[in-house]
């Protein structure tokens, strides 16, 4: 699925170093790295790990410019709705646009057994980053569908 490895549900869309990823990181308070970071921050490991229910969008572009931001108020049901929207559109086989709130829009065009995805990312109010457009493909159809199914299963 994804090279990000956040420990929670994640939908990684991209090829190589250019990607967008919808993630809900989960930190394990028993992990030695988390315990050390908590100690350095002066809080308990449980407090440092947090509730594990905060969604984020992470991205990296062709210039190696990474960014990410939290999505306050985003819930699992909305992430699942977005993934289901992608599944249905991919199965239909024609060009489509899918939206995840007002922060991510994907424009997709089929090409043989791949899809060319263009991600339009708009950071939430209060985030320093500017809107970005990333070319994510070509991405194999079978791999996209498998990743989306795995993501949806991780939410169940």
């Amino acid at each position: 699925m994804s090279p990000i490895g956040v420990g929670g549900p994640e939908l990684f869309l991209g090829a190589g170093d250019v990607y967008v990823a919808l993630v809900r990181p989960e930190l394990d308070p028993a992990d030695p790295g988390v315990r050390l970071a908590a100690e350095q921050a002066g809080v308990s490991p449980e407090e440092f790990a947090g509730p594990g229910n905060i969604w984020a969008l992470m991205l990296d572009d062709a210039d190696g410019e990474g960014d990410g931001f939290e999505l306050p108020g985003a819930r699992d049901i909305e992430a699942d709705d977005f993934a289901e929207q992608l599944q249905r559109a991919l199965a239909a086989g024609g060009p489509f646009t899918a939206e995840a709130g007002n922060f991510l829009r994907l424009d997709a065009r089929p090409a043989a057994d791949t899809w060319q995805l263009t991600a339009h990312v708009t950071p939430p109010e209060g985030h320093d980053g500017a809107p970005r457009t990333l070319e994510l493909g070509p991405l194999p159809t079978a791999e996209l569908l498998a990743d989306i199914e795995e993501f949806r299963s991780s939410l169940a």
Side-chain angles (χ1 to χ4, degrees):
M1 188 166 172
S2 159
I4 296 175
V6 296
E10 57 186 89
L11 179 58
F12 178 87
L13 300 168
D17 295 334
V18 179
Y19 66 85
V20 295
L22 185 59
V23 301
R24 181 171 48 91
E26 292 179 3
L27 300 176
D28 180 1
D31 180 276
V34 171
R35 296 183 76 71
L36 177 61
E39 182 181 321
Q40 291 172 345
V43 297
S44 73
E46 293 75 19
E47 185 179 355
F48 186 83
N53 63 356
I54 305 294
W55 283 94
L57 184 75
M58 299 171 64
L59 61 101
D60 206 349
D61 65 19
D63 297 327
E65 297 285 327
D67 199 0
F69 48 85
E70 288 186 359
L71 303 169
R75 300 172 302 160
D76 288 6
I77 188 74
E78 293 156 340
D80 188 52
D81 287 347
F82 176 67
E84 183 180 21
Q85 187 183 156
L86 288 175
Q87 276 181 318
R88 282 193 318 266
L90 288 167
F96 68 89
T97 296
E99 294 183 357
N102 58 2
F103 57 88
L104 176 62
R105 186 181 86 234
L106 292 177
D107 294 325
R109 299 172 308 283
D113 61 347
T114 66
W115 286 84
Q116 180 63 45
L117 298 181
T118 302
H120 304 276
V121 177
T122 304
E125 193 173 313
H127 183 73
D128 293 340
R132 310 257 291 272
T133 300
L134 297 99
E135 294 297 330
L136 304 177
L139 304 174
T141 302
E143 188 176 307
L144 273 171
L145 288 169
D147 287 350
I148 292 167
E149 184 58 35
E150 185 177 338
F151 174 73
R152 293 190 72 204
S153 294
S154 73
L155 293 170

